[in-house]
Amino acid sequence: MTVEIAMLFWASVLGIVQVGLQSLSFKKQAGNAYTVGPRDEPLPPAGFAGRMERALRNFLETFPIFAAVILAVYATERTNQWSEIGAQIYFWGRLAYIPAYASGLPWIRTFIWQIATIGIVLCMVPLFDRALITVLME
């Protein structure tokens, strides 16, 4: 198993953890009767539950890009030190993002998000040359 695939696995675990955190925090806010009911009347999450909802939504925006890049690097056998480092930066950045967002740290949260996004870009490095050649040759 490559480092990149291992980080993809752990990022998937992190996604499940975030779903659980969001669900439990909303259940605490709204109560069991609402969360197990039909939810006909919308109740937006607020406070901590709202922050967990937004953190999860943000994860769900970046994770498909990360997964696609990791699978492309793996499928083309182009893994290298850039993709290994990038995958680890993405994972650890996303992990750090959860408590930063949960505690409402505005500048630190944004900085951590940028670090995780840089991780995705680093994962793309091994693909740039071949992708450019492929496009130009078509």
Side-chain angles (χ1 to χ4, degrees):
M1 178 180 292
T2 66
V3 170
E4 295 87 349
I5 295 295
M7 290 296 99
L8 179 58
F9 168 77
W10 288 113
S12 299
V13 170
L14 185 60
I16 291 171
V17 168
Q18 281 198 249
V19 168
L21 288 171
Q22 184 277 327
S23 175
L24 291 174
S25 64
F26 186 66
K27 184 179 285 287
K28 184 176 180 182
Q29 173 195 325
N32 201 41
Y34 179 80
T35 59
V36 300
R39 299 183 188 191
D40 292 334
E41 296 296 321
L43 178 61
F48 182 76
R51 289 191 299 275
M52 289 295 87
E53 169 72 26
R54 292 185 298 279
L56 173 59
R57 195 168 55 238
N58 182 270
F59 175 81
L60 294 174
E61 291 169 357
T62 64
F63 180 74
I65 299 167
F66 173 70
V69 171
I70 292 302
L71 293 174
V73 167
Y74 184 78
T76 58
E77 298 178 354
R78 302 280 293 172
T79 60
N80 66 17
Q81 72 276 7
W82 292 109
S83 57
E84 286 183 8
I85 292 168
Q88 292 175 66
I89 288 172
Y90 174 79
F91 172 77
W92 293 109
R94 293 308 312 185
L95 183 64
Y97 188 80
I98 299 169
Y101 208 123
S103 60
L105 300 171
W107 289 101
I108 294 171
R109 172 185 58 87
T110 301
F111 179 70
I112 292 169
W113 178 88
Q114 291 173 337
I115 289 172
T117 303
I118 288 169
I120 295 173
V121 173
L122 291 176
C123 291
M124 293 174 167
V125 168
L127 299 172
F128 279 122
D129 62 339
R130 292 278 171 95
L132 182 60
I133 290 169
T134 301
V135 169
L136 293 175
M137 298 299 283
E138 291 295 318

